[in-house]
């Protein structure tokens, strides 16, 4: 026994190395290869997989501040979802999410497309101007929110001062304090934040359209708008679908623009599903309800993600 | 366009229509567009240089620049800026360590499940941050990782890692396997070959990924907001939010902090234009 025991121990590690090799020829190599991907796999599992699962189970539990002291989170079935959908804020939040997303995408896309087409021309300073145009996208969103909050201030903000000076408004508009316009204000700011991304992607797409197409069309008399409708738009369609769907998925989860500008107010005028989820979890400490809200958000995102993946596949294929 | 090309010269209309407007006119229009787009950023700088006070009736130009906003900002938020810097740097390191080998594996190794892995990575980019924050809060609470630099670095990397894997992979697809094999024949292991061949070749895209990891993490607001509860570890984005919290009492300090928080983005954009432009389109379409 005493003799055998150490020997097996000594042999075991040495034998372990060639053992897999006997089973498969390139096994050690295979392990090294897996090593390349293992950290990423673990990370994605821990920071995307786990949260999705945890969020789902939390939404079925009564998960509140108490849980952190007692460790108890009783299962409550779909009660949180009932709370969410019967809440007087659910309908408005859903509608606001839809309006916020639709308005933002429409504004970002139309302006982004116009700018991308404009910058397609060759002129001095083009490259420099185009990269400076990216700046609003690179700034921390909370910085943009803070800045816009000062611009949109009802009494002393520069926007109202400007509108008053040119005689467009009689009384200063409460951009962030009037429930009737607050959603429009946050949409405007989000459009501003999103324009650079749209320009960058659409401009990239425009560069890939062969110049000969335009030359051929010009011979047939198609220039300007005609060329845009008959050549630019159809050739750009795969990129457009990617830009739009990606825009929707990114806009659905926007939180910092709204929290920085209005915090969901005034009078809940800028509550969206993402804001609701944040406030239930981290302001009211109703984590179960908060996660139910965010699961609704995931579901909506997922629908668009599927559309995205299909559009993306087509864009890469073509 | 159409109005210009229509009346006088009918025959070679398309060509002349373009030539008639000199290029500098477009430059001028471009400058005007940029001026409108970047006006809020100008306004941020302008407001930061106005005398402090709780009103923000700023003049159009900072004729008598007043730096007391910056003094207050540095006093209140200096530590937070350092915290942000540490977290952003940590996120860059973590992102590159995890994403670079994975991107190489997904570009060059023949695993059967690569399609599925890519799909997961694309979908991961779409998971709302609030979902991650929700789950992490309770996990971090159990693990004692709330209010920690490591906790925020790990969470912030969730913005950057999927993005980095996708742009790195796209560029690594173009590396000819023969160069790596040549190094292996000379006796280098897979890891050595990766470090000495793949990493130097991929320098540019690694810089792009690093820049974006830095910017994503520097800009992070949601994780700072949800995963910190005390002032121990407080990134500057949260500092700004707290300034905005109740009634803003000192706009020039808020705007000075905003300017200071914008500096990394501005520096990187000026110094690394081509990397930023590459990253702007790289992550999304491919």
């Amino acid at each position: 026994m005493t003799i055998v025991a150490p020997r097996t121990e000594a042999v075991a590690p040495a034998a372990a190395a060639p053992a897999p090799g006997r089973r498969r020829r390139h096994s050690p190599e295979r392990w090294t290869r897996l090593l390349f991907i293992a950290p990423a796999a673990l990370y994605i599992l821990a920071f995307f997989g786990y949260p999705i699962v945890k969020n789902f189970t939390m939404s079925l539990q009564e998960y509140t501040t108490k849980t952190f002291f007692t460790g108890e989170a009783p299962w409550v079935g779909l009660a949180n979802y009932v709370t969410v959908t019967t809440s007087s804020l659910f309908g408005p939040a859903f509608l606001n999410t839809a309006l916020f997303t639709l308005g933002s995408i429409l504004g970002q896309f139309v302006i982004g497309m116009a700018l991308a087409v404009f910058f397609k021309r060759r002129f001095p300073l083009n490259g420099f101007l185009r990269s400076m145009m990216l700046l609003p996208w690179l700034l921390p969103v909370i910085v943009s929110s803070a800045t816009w909050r000062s611009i949109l201030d009802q009494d002393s903000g520069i926007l109202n001062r400007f509108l008053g000076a040119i005689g467009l408004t009689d009384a200063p508009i409460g951009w962030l304090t009037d429930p009737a316009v607050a959603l429009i204000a946050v949409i405007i700011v989000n459009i501003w934040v999103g324009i650079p991304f749209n320009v960058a992607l659409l401009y990239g797409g425009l560069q890939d359209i062969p110049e000969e197409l335009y030359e051929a069309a010009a011979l047939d008399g198609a220039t300007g708008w005609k060329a845009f409708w008959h050549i630019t738009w159809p050739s750009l369609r795969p990129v457009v679908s990617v830009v739009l769907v990606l825009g929707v998925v990114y806009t659905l989860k926007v939180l910092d623009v709204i929290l920085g500008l209005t915090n969901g107010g005034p009078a809940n005028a800028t509550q969206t599903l993402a804001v609701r989820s944040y406030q239930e979890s981290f302001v009211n400490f109703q984590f179960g309800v908060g996660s139910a809200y965010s699961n609704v958000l995931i579901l909506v995102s997922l629908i668009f993600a599927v559309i995205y993946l299909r559009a993306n596949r087509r864009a890469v294929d073509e | 366009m159409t109005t210009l090309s229509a009346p006088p010269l009918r025959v070679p209309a398309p060509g002349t229509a373009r030539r008639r407007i000199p290029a500098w006119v477009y430059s001028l229009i471009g400058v005007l567009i940029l001026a409108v787009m970047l006006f809020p950023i100008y306004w941020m700088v302008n407001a930061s240089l106005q005398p402090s006070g709780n009103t923000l009736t700023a003049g159009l130009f900072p004729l008598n620049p007043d730096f007391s906003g910056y003094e207050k900002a540095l006093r209140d938020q200096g530590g937070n800026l350092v915290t942000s810097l540490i977290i952003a740097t940590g996120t860059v390191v973590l992102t590159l360590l995890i994403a670079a080998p994975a991107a190489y594996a997904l570009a060059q190794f023949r695993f059967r499940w690569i399609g599925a892995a890519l799909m997961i990575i694309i979908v991961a980019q779409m998971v709302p941050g609030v979902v991650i924050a929700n789950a992490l809060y309770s996990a971090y609470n159990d693990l004692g990782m709330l209010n920690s630099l490591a906790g925020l670095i790990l969470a912030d990397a969730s913005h950057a890692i999927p993005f980095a894997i996708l742009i790195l992979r796209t560029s690594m697809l173009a590396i000819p396997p023969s160069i790596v094999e040549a190094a292996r024949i000379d006796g280098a292991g897979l890891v050595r070959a990766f470090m000495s061949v793949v990493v130097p070749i991929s320098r540019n895209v690694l810089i792009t990924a690093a820049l974006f990891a830095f910017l994503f993490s520097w800009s992070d607001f949601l994780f700072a907001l949800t995963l910190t509860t005390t002032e121990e570890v407080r990134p500057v984005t949260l500092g700004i939010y707290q300034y905005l919290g109740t009634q803003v009492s000192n706009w020039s300090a808020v705007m000075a902090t905003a300017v200071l928080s914008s500096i990394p983005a501005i520096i990187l954009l000026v110094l690394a234009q081509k990397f930023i432009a590459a990253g702007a389109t790289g992550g999304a379409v491919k």
Side-chain angles (χ1 to χ4, degrees):
Chain A
M1 279 295 278
T2 43
I3 301 163
V4 173
R7 199 188 281 166
T8 43
E9 264 177 46
V11 168
R22 251 174 267 141
R23 253 177 280 138
R24 263 187 214 158
R25 220 185 284 161
H26 297 295
S27 261
E29 170 90 17
R30 226 185 133 75
W31 284 113
T32 326
R33 285 175 169 227
L34 283 175
L35 214 65
F36 273 70
I37 202 115
L42 282 177
Y43 183 85
I44 287 175
L45 209 63
F47 285 83
F48 292 101
Y50 165 77
I52 290 174
V53 174
K54 176 77 179 168
N55 222 56
F56 180 68
T57 56
M58 264 169 129
S59 74
L60 304 174
Q61 288 173 295
E62 191 188 318
Y63 208 109
T64 63
T65 333
K66 237 175 34 192
T67 308
F68 295 111
F69 296 111
T70 61
E72 280 167 32
W75 296 94
V76 291
L78 295 175
N80 289 327
Y81 290 94
V82 174
T83 310
V84 164
T85 47
T86 56
S87 150
S88 62
L89 283 177
F90 181 73
F94 203 92
L95 183 67
N96 287 341
T97 308
L99 291 174
F100 180 76
T101 306
L102 204 73
S104 297
I105 301 292
L106 207 68
Q108 290 169 2
F109 182 77
V110 171
I111 299 173
M113 179 66 108
L115 291 179
V117 170
F118 173 79
F119 279 104
K120 198 173 171 289
R121 295 169 187 285
R122 292 209 188 96
F123 54 82
L125 288 180
N126 182 317
F128 170 76
L129 293 174
R130 212 161 11 88
S131 24
M132 285 305 119
M133 201 71 87
L134 285 172
L135 198 50
W137 182 56
L138 299 175
L139 293 187
V141 177
I142 197 74
V143 165
S144 307
S145 298
T147 305
W148 276 96
R149 207 162 128 176
S150 84
I151 292 173
L152 296 173
D153 187 87
Q154 179 165 14
D155 300 322
S156 48
I158 186 70
L159 183 61
N160 277 347
R161 275 155 66 194
F162 174 74
L163 292 175
I166 61 169
L168 258 176
T169 51
D170 321 325
I173 299 170
W175 292 105
L176 302 173
T177 46
D178 180 352
V181 291
L183 189 64
I184 296 172
V186 294
I187 290 173
I188 290 173
V189 176
N190 197 48
I191 289 174
W192 183 78
V193 171
I195 287 173
F197 181 71
N198 280 259
V199 177
L201 252 63
L202 293 170
Y203 179 83
L206 288 176
Q207 293 308 101
D208 294 340
I209 303 176
E211 200 51 43
E212 298 86 65
L213 283 181
Y214 290 102
E215 281 159 19
L219 289 178
D220 297 339
T223 53
W225 275 111
K226 269 192 189 160
F228 181 83
W229 280 123
H230 294 296
I231 300 165
T232 310
W233 185 253
S235 321
L236 208 57
R237 223 160 33 203
V239 181
V240 167
S241 52
V242 169
V243 171
L244 288 181
V245 180
L246 216 54
V248 171
V249 175
Y250 289 165
T251 312
L252 281 174
K253 59 181 182 181
V254 164
L255 201 54
D256 26 18
V257 173
I258 298 176
L259 288 187
L261 284 169
T262 60
N263 238 325
N268 295 316
T270 54
Q271 290 280 354
T272 61
L273 291 174
V275 175
R276 285 306 317 138
S277 173
Y278 161 75
Q279 289 191 333
E280 286 294 353
S281 288
F282 295 100
V283 179
N284 303 338
F285 296 108
Q286 297 289 329
F287 285 89
V289 181
S291 54
Y293 263 112
S294 54
N295 282 334
V296 177
L297 197 59
I298 288 188
L299 192 70
V300 181
S301 300
L302 204 64
I303 295 169
F304 285 96
V306 171
I307 301 175
Y308 170 78
L309 288 172
R310 297 187 56 171
N312 197 14
R313 180 152 299 171
R314 228 171 294 142
V316 174
D317 288 347
E318 274 168 27
Chain B
M1 280 290 288
T2 38
T3 48
L4 280 168
S5 64
L9 288 169
R10 288 201 115 179
V11 195
T16 42
R18 278 194 187 176
R19 230 164 279 149
R20 229 183 274 155
I21 303 171
W24 64 266
V25 174
Y26 289 111
S27 305
L28 191 70
I29 299 173
V31 170
L32 287 176
I33 293 173
L34 189 73
V36 173
M37 261 305 270
L38 298 192
F39 175 79
I41 295 169
Y42 166 73
W43 198 250
M44 168 177 80
V45 177
N46 177 41
S48 75
L49 291 168
Q50 301 288 336
S52 49
N54 53 7
T55 59
L56 40 79
T57 325
L60 291 181
F61 308 101
L63 294 176
N64 300 303
D66 180 309
F67 290 91
S68 57
Y70 284 87
E71 270 170 47
K72 183 166 164 48
L74 284 173
R75 211 175 333 116
D76 293 355
Q77 309 274 5
N80 299 343
L81 283 161
V82 175
T83 303
S84 285
L85 197 64
I86 295 170
I87 292 173
T89 312
T91 307
V92 169
V93 174
L94 182 70
T95 299
L96 292 184
L97 281 178
I98 290 182
Y104 178 68
L106 290 174
Q108 298 276 341
F109 298 167
R110 290 205 190 124
F111 293 126
R112 237 173 294 140
W113 31 262
I114 281 183
L118 285 174
M119 187 98 77
I120 290 172
I121 293 165
I122 291 174
V123 172
Q125 275 190 306
M126 302 175 175
V127 176
V130 67
V131 169
I132 301 174
N134 222 349
L136 284 188
Y137 183 86
S138 81
Y140 275 19
N141 186 54
D142 295 343
L143 298 168
M145 279 169 73
L146 290 174
N147 303 308
S148 73
L149 289 170
L152 280 179
I153 290 171
L154 279 164
D156 283 355
S158 69
H159 295 307
I161 284 177
F163 175 84
I165 293 178
L166 292 177
I167 63 165
L168 289 169
R169 175 181 175 268
T170 307
S171 101
M172 286 175 176
L173 281 171
I175 298 175
S178 54
I179 344 180
V180 180
E181 272 154 31
R184 312 249 353 241
I185 290 167
D186 293 344
L190 199 52
V191 178
R192 271 268 302 285
F194 175 75
M195 290 307 291
S196 60
V197 178
V198 177
V199 168
I201 294 179
S202 308
R203 211 195 74 201
N204 280 359
V205 68
L206 284 168
I207 293 175
T208 306
L211 286 179
F212 276 86
F214 188 94
L215 285 176
F216 288 165
S217 173
W218 180 269
S219 309
D220 165 69
F221 166 67
L222 180 63
F223 293 129
L225 179 65
T226 53
L227 302 178
T228 68
T229 52
T230 62
E231 291 191 18
E232 292 165 52
V233 173
R234 176 159 293 174
V236 69
T237 47
L238 193 56
I240 294 177
Y241 185 61
Q242 244 122 28
Y243 263 170
L244 291 174
T246 47
Q247 286 299 313
V248 178
S249 56
N250 188 335
W251 269 107
S252 57
V254 179
M255 290 298 114
T257 313
V259 172
L260 294 173
S261 314
S262 307
I263 287 174
I266 293 169
I267 291 179
L268 293 179
L269 188 59
V270 171
L271 294 183
Q273 270 184 35
K274 68 168 179 168
F275 298 111
I276 297 285
T281 48
V285 184
K286 294 290 155 67

